[in-house]
């Protein structure tokens, strides 16, 4: 932990220097800084070297800027526009918003943000075993966590969402990652994640907002959620990224309970985050929507299957149950020893 802080300290100095030079010579495309002068003040975020997306006040007033603004609207008020009763199209199967998971409209560090997303697509996706464009990846989330039907790739809404994601990552070099665009790391305990312990953590720290039965809480006119559901028929689908225990635990560590946890100061320990993610994703006690088209299996090339995906076959010898709940260390060690990919 101390070592990590020192590392950030050094990094921040370098970033700060770069920023000062950038602002003097007026380089707009300076990585890790926004292009407006007021964003050049050193906040906690950029001191830690984390990517700072441009400020919304800098969205240009031209046709592209209009698309960016509409895309941001769609990401934040998704159900209103494209939900089951959507005003411009009926694509989603539930009333969640993109921003329920891509927190703050995809601008929060370590919260499934879109910092480097545009810079990294098209890319190979193991689950489909093919190269997906960014628009196809957006449809992945519409079909899976949202249990919806894909939007036409050339629809105004799709173009708007992709434009917004591109604008957010304006300062990210093509093909690169930036600090803060992935989830916080989790240190694995020697034991499996424990859904029973997770249930107790949930009751104490999560149920007040997400509900005793994980059902979430509607907003005033039930058009979307004040607190999104975590399981049940309107929650994210089985097989979608958040239905994987490690993927979810890493998000929870940095972001939940809301208003209490931050990536700089997580509220739960790594073990507790894993336990509560195991509880949420335990199919023996919680139902959630299933993939509609089962004719195409996920991860047809299972060498690229995420370790915490909970259905075999696998390239290693561990059970589906161990892949779901752990202990994860032996799987990682086995894979390394056999020169197999370690994918989360
Ligand atoms: C229930 C949670 C959830 C909802 C709702 C959701 N997503 Fe996602 N989305 C995820 C997760 C988890 C990932 C994988 C992130 C990772 O691997 O770090 C993801 C990944 C993505 C990616 C790829 C990001 C990258 O950098 O590779 C895009 C693009 C995306 N989502 C767009 C959307 C859009 C647009 C919506 C709304 C229509 C949406 N998502 C709704 C959870 C969600
Ligand atoms: C004070 C209310 C509050 C508490 C307490 C809280 N959350 Fe959340 N949670 C939210 C809100 C609001 C969102 C939507 C994202 C945002 O706006 O921050 C969210 C989003 C989520 C999501 C992603 C969206 C989804 O529905 O799948 C998960 C997972 C989650 N919370 C898990 C937890 C867990 C686990 C705990 C307890 C450790 C917890 N939350 C405690 C308010 C809360």
């Amino acid at each position: 932990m101390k070592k990590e802080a020192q590392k950030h300290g050094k990094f921040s100095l370098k970033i700060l220097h770069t920023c000062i030079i950038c602002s003097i010579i007026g380089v707009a495309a300076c990585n890790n800084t926004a292009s407006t002068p007021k964003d050049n003040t050193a906040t906690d975020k950029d001191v830690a070297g984390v990517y700072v997306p441009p400020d919304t006040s800098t969205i240009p007033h031209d046709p592209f800027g209009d698309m960016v603004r509409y895309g941001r609207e769609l990401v934040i008020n998704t159900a209103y526009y494209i939900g089951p009763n959507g005003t411009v199209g009926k694509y989603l199967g539930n009333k969640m918003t993109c921003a329920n998971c891509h927190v703050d409209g995809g601008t929060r560090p370590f919260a499934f943000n879109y910092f480097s997303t545009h810079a990294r697509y098209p890319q190979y996706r193991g689950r489909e075993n093919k190269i997906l464009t960014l628009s196809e990846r957006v449809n992945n989330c519409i079909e899976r966590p949202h249990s919806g039907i894909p939007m036409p790739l050339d629809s105004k809404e799709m173009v708007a969402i992709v434009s917004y994601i591109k604008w957010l990552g304006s300062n990210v070099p093509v093909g690169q990652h930036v600090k803060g665009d992935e989830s916080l790391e989790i240190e694995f305990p020697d034991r499996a994640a424990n859904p029973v312990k997770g249930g107790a953590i949930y009751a104490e720290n999560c149920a007040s907002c997400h509900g005793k039965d994980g059902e979430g809480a509607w907003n005033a006119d039930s058009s979307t959620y004040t607190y999104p559901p975590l399981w049940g028929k309107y929650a994210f689908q089985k097989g979608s990224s958040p239905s994987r225990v490690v993927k979810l635990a890493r998000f929870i560590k940095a972001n939940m309970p809301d208003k209490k946890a931050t990536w700089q100061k997580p509220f739960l320990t790594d073990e507790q985050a894993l336990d509560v993610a195991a509880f949420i994703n335990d199919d023996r006690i919680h139902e959630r929507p299933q993939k509609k088209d089962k004719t195409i299996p996920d991860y047809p090339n299972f060498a690229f299957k995420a370790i915490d995906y909970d259905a075999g076959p696998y390239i290693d010898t561990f059970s589906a149950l161990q892949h779901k709940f752990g202990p994860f260390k032996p799987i990682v060690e086995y894979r390394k020893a056999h020169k197999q990919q370690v994918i989360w």
Side-chain angles (χ1 to χ4, degrees), residues 96-97 99-104 108 112 201-202 204-210 214 225-231 235-236 242 248 251-252 255-260 267-268 273 276-277 280 288:
M96 288 182 74
T97 71
N100 285 158
C101 300
H102 302 284
V103 186
D104 297 341
R108 185 190 290 182
F112 299 146
I201 296 163
Y202 183 85
E204 197 180 330
N205 303 290
C206 323
S208 56
C209 292
H210 292 285
Y225 293 97
T226 305
Y227 303 118
L230 299 180
W231 64 88
F236 56 79
L248 192 66
F251 171 86
I252 291 169
N255 300 292
M256 292 294 143
D258 192 35
K259 311 268 189 281
K260 283 191 186 157
F267 183 81
L268 301 179
V276 78
I280 292 169
R288 58 180 67 256

Side-chain angles (χ1 to χ4, degrees), residues 97-98 101-102 112 114 117 120-121 137 141 145-146 241 247:
T97 71
C98 312
C101 300
H102 302 284
F112 299 146
Y114 300 135
T117 302
R120 290 182 287 99
Y121 279 81
R137 182 65 185 85
C141 269
H146 283 291
S241 304
K247 176 75 81 186

Side-chain angles (χ1 to χ4, degrees), residues 114-122 134 165 169 172-177:
Y114 300 135
F115 293 171
S116 64
T117 302
H118 186 264
R120 290 182 287 99
Y121 279 81
L134 180 51
I165 294 176
V172 180
V174 175
Q176 302 285 304
H177 274 285

